[in-house]
């Protein structure tokens, strides 16, 4: 392995949005720095389930069914 080709890998502290912290190894910052997160799994809607909407709510098939869903073919 060539010397000086890899970044420094050291311990940092990560602070979540709710104030909890944990230590991990990273190449971010320098030894002992604290990485403060703005968004994390405890607050982001993608993980918490907030702001959900149905995928087919505004799709073409849903629009068609909303407009013509009550029509039927009658034999006369």
């Amino acid at each position: 392995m060539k010397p000086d080709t890899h970044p420094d890998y050291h311990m940092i502290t990560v602070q979540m949005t709710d104030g909890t912290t944990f230590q991990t190894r990273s190449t971010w910052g320098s030894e002992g720095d604290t990485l403060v997160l703005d968004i994390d799994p405890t607050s982001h809607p993608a993980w918490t389930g907030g702001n959900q909407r149905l995928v087919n709510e505004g799709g073409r098939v849903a629009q068609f069914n909303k407009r013509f869903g009550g029509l039927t073919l009658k034999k006369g």
Side-chain angles (χ1 to χ4, degrees), residues 28-62:
W28 179 86
S30 57
E31 181 77 29
D33 283 351
T34 300
L35 175 63
V36 179
L37 299 179
D38 293 332
I39 298 174
D40 63 16
T42 62
S43 66
H44 195 279
W47 289 288
T48 61
N51 294 336
Q52 279 187 333
R53 66 181 178 105
L54 297 175
V55 174
N56 64 353
E57 186 175 87
R60 302 299 293 167
V61 173

Side-chain angles (χ1 to χ4, degrees), residues 1-64:
M1 189 161 58
K2 293 181 182 178
D4 301 326
T5 58
H6 298 283
D8 180 35
Y9 197 55
H10 48 270
M11 294 298 289
I12 65 165
T13 302
V14 179
Q15 181 178 352
M16 307 286 270
T17 57
D18 63 358
T20 59
T21 61
F22 65 93
Q23 291 206 333
T24 187
R25 294 176 54 96
S26 176
T27 58
W28 179 86
S30 57
E31 181 77 29
D33 283 351
T34 300
L35 175 63
V36 179
L37 299 179
D38 293 332
I39 298 174
D40 63 16
T42 62
S43 66
H44 195 279
W47 289 288
T48 61
N51 294 336
Q52 279 187 333
R53 66 181 178 105
L54 297 175
V55 174
N56 64 353
E57 186 175 87
R60 302 299 293 167
V61 173
Q63 288 177 358
F64 178 85

